Amino acid sequence: MWFLTVLYALLFYIATAILVVGTGHRIYLFIRAPAPLKIPTTPAPTTRVGVVGRMFQEVVFFKSLFRATKWTWLFGWLFHFALLLVVLRHLRYFTEPVWGWVALIQPFGIYAGFAMLVGLGGLWARRVLVDRVRYITAPSDHLMLALLVGIAGTGLLMKYVSHTDIVALKAFVLGLLYFDWHPLPADPLLLLHLLLVVVLMLVFPFSKLIHAPGMFFAPTRYQVDNPRERRHLADWAARLESQGR
Ligand code: HEM
């Protein structure tokens, strides 16, 4: 029991460090990437406020994906929205006392587990059945989908088939947060669920999943369409110009 507790505690600390530092580093690279040209995807907003509004519609409703492919939008949006609910539902393992609104969304969170699987199933089927998508699909695309299906699958199995000791698990999770370790229940499904979560945290910064924060750093999305009103000058170009070169 203690062996597993120490092993998983260390795994979670290492995975958290790599997730935070790795994602931070990727964001730093996104910020540093030169954007020498004005390339907002038109029709694009002509003001900053407009850009914020457009970004909001992208992030919350996946608007451009909706315009592009209805099926991908349907399954993609379903998966992401369900994932959000599932993650919010999980906050009950990390907080004591559990916040009121987290208690309130618990029932929806359970349905979200199934919705997440349906969304992932649709996205995976698309990679196998649609010729032009299959052609550009790499093994890592399948791996990411398998990982997420594995996490959702083991979670639902725990919920409906073979329960784990939630109270003991919560003590373990809070123990990690407050550096006061408590034993981790040694149920195979829970151990697998958590191991897959650790793998997800480890691969996140290095995989396509980084598109989540990356979305906010795409020039095609964050740029204001005002090239006639204001001259666009990248930082490095402005520096060269000020040196008279
Ligand atoms: C340290 C992090 C995590 C812990 C401690 C944890 C723990 C658990 C537990 C104990 C259950 C069973 C719930 C019950 O029996 O009522 C569960 C279910 C589930 N988990 Fe996780 N999990 C974690 C991370 C994740 C992540 C990152 C995802 C998604 C990517 C996920 C997806 C699910 C799903 C879909 C279910 C089934 C639906 C539900 O009960 O909410 N879990 N998880």
Side-chain angles (χ1 to χ4, degrees), residues 12 79 82-83 85-87 89-90 92-94 106 108-114 116-117 147-148 151-160 162-166 169-170 172-173 176 184 190 193-194 196-198 200-201:
F12 269 110
F79 158 67
L83 175 67
L85 270 178
V86 165
V87 170
R89 176 173 136 85
H90 276 65
R92 71 183 169 139
Y93 304 128
F94 297 83
Q106 290 304 312
F108 309 104
I110 302 174
Y111 296 117
F114 290 105
M116 199 175 140
L117 273 188
L147 190 56
L148 289 162
I151 295 176
T154 48
L156 286 167
L157 283 174
M158 258 190 294
K159 173 83 195 148
Y160 290 104
S162 165
H163 300 288
T164 187
D165 184 344
I166 300 277
L169 168 76
K170 179 159 179 171
F172 168 77
V173 175
L176 287 184
L184 172 69
L190 176 65
H193 190 67
L194 296 185
L196 294 175
V197 171
V198 165
L200 182 72
M201 293 165 79

Side-chain angles (χ1 to χ4, degrees), residues 29-37 39 217 219 222-223 232 234-237:
L29 293 180
F30 288 147
I31 293 173
R32 290 280 313 274
L37 302 173
I39 50 168
F217 302 96
Y222 73 63
Q223 287 187 346
H232 177 70
D235 285 348
W236 55 268

Side-chain angles (χ1 to χ4, degrees), residues 5-217:
T5 302
V6 173
L7 178 71
Y8 272 74
L10 292 179
L11 281 176
F12 269 110
Y13 286 138
I14 293 169
T16 306
I18 292 182
L19 176 70
V20 172
V21 175
T23 305
H25 180 67
R26 288 298 294 268
I27 290 177
Y28 170 75
L29 293 180
F30 288 147
I31 293 173
R32 290 280 313 274
L37 302 173
K38 268 281 182 193
I39 50 168
T41 311
T42 53
T46 52
T47 61
R48 277 259 139 231
V49 177
V51 166
V52 172
R54 166 166 153 158
M55 196 60 108
F56 179 83
Q57 290 178 321
E58 276 301 316
V59 172
V60 179
F61 303 115
F62 297 10
K63 190 175 170 190
S64 61
L65 182 60
F66 180 76
R67 285 205 187 122
T69 349
K70 298 288 185 282
W71 281 111
T72 310
W73 175 82
L74 180 68
F75 290 118
W77 191 81
L78 186 67
F79 158 67
H80 283 88
F81 185 62
L83 175 67
L84 175 69
L85 270 178
V86 165
V87 170
L88 292 179
R89 176 173 136 85
H90 276 65
L91 282 178
R92 71 183 169 139
Y93 304 128
F94 297 83
T95 50
E96 185 54 47
V98 175
W99 304 325
W101 64 270
V102 174
L104 213 67
I105 60 162
Q106 290 304 312
F108 309 104
I110 302 174
Y111 296 117
F114 290 105
M116 199 175 140
L117 273 188
V118 172
L120 286 168
L123 292 174
W124 211 343
R126 157 182 174 269
R127 292 213 170 263
V128 178
L129 301 176
V130 182
D131 287 346
R132 63 197 176 83
V133 179
R134 187 173 59 237
Y135 184 69
I136 55 162
T137 294
S140 78
D141 295 318
H142 290 297
L143 270 177
M144 293 305 127
L145 286 161
L147 190 56
L148 289 162
V149 166
I151 295 176
T154 48
L156 286 167
L157 283 174
M158 258 190 294
K159 173 83 195 148
Y160 290 104
V161 180
S162 165
H163 300 288
T164 187
D165 184 344
I166 300 277
V167 176
L169 168 76
K170 179 159 179 171
F172 168 77
V173 175
L174 290 177
L176 287 184
L177 294 180
Y178 296 107
F179 297 102
D180 171 22
W181 293 0
H182 288 272
L184 172 69
D187 300 314
L189 276 177
L190 176 65
L191 295 179
L192 187 56
H193 190 67
L194 296 185
L195 191 67
L196 294 175
V197 171
V198 165
V199 173
L200 182 72
M201 293 165 79
L202 288 174
V203 298
F204 185 88
F206 313 100
S207 69
K208 63 184 283 179
L209 303 179
I210 198 72
H211 72 268
M215 166 81 215
F216 296 93
F217 302 96

